[in-house]
Amino acid sequence: MANGMIEVLFLYRQTRRFAWAVLGAAVLFSAAAARAEGPWVVPVDGNPFQGALVSVDSLWNLTFRMGEKTKETTKKMPAADVVRWGKPVEPERGPVLVTADGGLLVADVLSAGKESLMADSLVWGTLKMPFDSLAGVVFQLPGDRQQRDRLVDRVALASAPTDRVLLANGDELAGTLDGIDQRSLRLTTEVGPVEIELDRVAAVVFNPALRRKPSFKGLYAWAGFADGSLLAADRIEVDEKKATVTTALGQTRKTATEDLVFLQPLEGRVVYLSDRPPADYRHVPYLSLRWPLKANRNVTGGRLRGDGRLYLKGLGMHTAARATYPLDKKYKRFDAALAIDDSTAGRGSVRFRVFVDGREKFTSDTIRGGQTPVPMSVDVAGAKRLDLIVDFADRADEMDHANWFDARLVR
């Protein structure tokens, strides 16, 4: 690194350290409070239990510590036998780097040139990110969570083959990014070069055509951290002091073990319905508004949330609707947790129903907005077809934003 960059980084850290400390302390206090209550382990089989994650080895074996200090016990489980551990923390401040594999890194942008971006993170330290590993940067997170989700998705899912600057006033500029410093960015557009102050920028999208494709080698996991970072971990090793994550983009990150607050293994013994298309989906509107089936999102396009908690996996549906999935006699159970999405602010009411090979196997009581998610499980051994239905309850279809959290088939 050139001497000039070292001086810039040093001065930056000195002038921003107090702000980092205040914001970081709040985030870490929140995560510490969650840990004090005891994170929950949801196994594929059996009842959830509270346990601290103390190690992950190179073969994806997880070890949990349970009980009080005087009566501690440990339990070792393959990651394939775990649905999730802990709960993800949502970022409350920007900037947020959106990675090409769908991950998030909370970090302040120091500079960007033609090939890479430099950033500074409370959890990860100094980051050098090649542009092909990034989808973009969200500089200003909207206060409303639904708007925040849509902005992050807009960056992550962009397809136009240019760099784009999304301004806070709603305008958008396309061109080629020439550079970023701590005050402004420079963009060459069709009408020439422009310089834009960062406090006017909501987000930057890097040319999607240049993104590197993630590569997974079997089982992997979403790993969540105390600052709101979320990484797609192709490998992760954890001991009492350090967590080392190798992402699906081949990058290695290291942080303190206490900063790891969430883990959700994928490609284990469960198959999430959100990862496969339905054989059929039908929505019968109460009046005329039609709602689509959403994978890993609620019906309005926001992330899935229930009882104040973010869920990464699941289905969003709206009354009255039916989604049909083929089973081919491959699975033992269908499991999920049922709720109305938090975005309804306590409104909405539905009944969830599950049919297996045309026979009704589960009907919930009326589930209303604001209720704690209700777990359910249905035997599907030897079955060929699964139908998930959300039906009207109170007040017709008003705010019936129904979620099937972690909707999964168990092998």
Side-chain angles (χ1 to χ4, degrees), residues 12 20 93-97 104-110 117-122 124-125 127 137-139 227 229:
Y12 169 79
W20 266 113
R93 57 172 292 273
V96 174
L97 313 183
L104 305 175
L105 285 165
V106 178
D108 275 334
V109 175
L110 301 176
L117 177 147
M118 295 291 296
D120 193 47
S121 163
L122 180 68
W124 308 103
L127 299 169
V137 181
V138 176
F139 284 94
D227 66 343
S229 293

Side-chain angles (χ1 to χ4, degrees), residues 29-50:
F29 176 81
S30 175
R35 285 193 294 272
E37 296 173 358
W40 285 87
V41 183
V42 179
V44 174
D45 297 319
N47 296 323
F49 61 91
Q50 287 181 291

Side-chain angles (χ1 to χ4, degrees), residues 121-171:
S121 163
L122 180 68
V123 167
W124 308 103
T126 302
L127 299 169
K128 183 177 181 180
M129 304 288 294
F131 279 124
D132 65 358
S133 69
L134 291 171
V137 181
V138 176
F139 284 94
Q140 299 184 38
L141 285 176
D144 179 80
R145 291 192 186 279
Q146 296 280 102
Q147 293 179 19
R148 183 182 307 178
D149 296 340
R150 293 189 188 100
L151 179 58
V152 172
D153 280 352
R154 188 176 174 188
V155 172
L157 303 176
S159 58
T162 61
D163 298 324
R164 291 181 176 271
V165 178
L166 312 181
L167 299 178
N169 66 1
D171 290 343

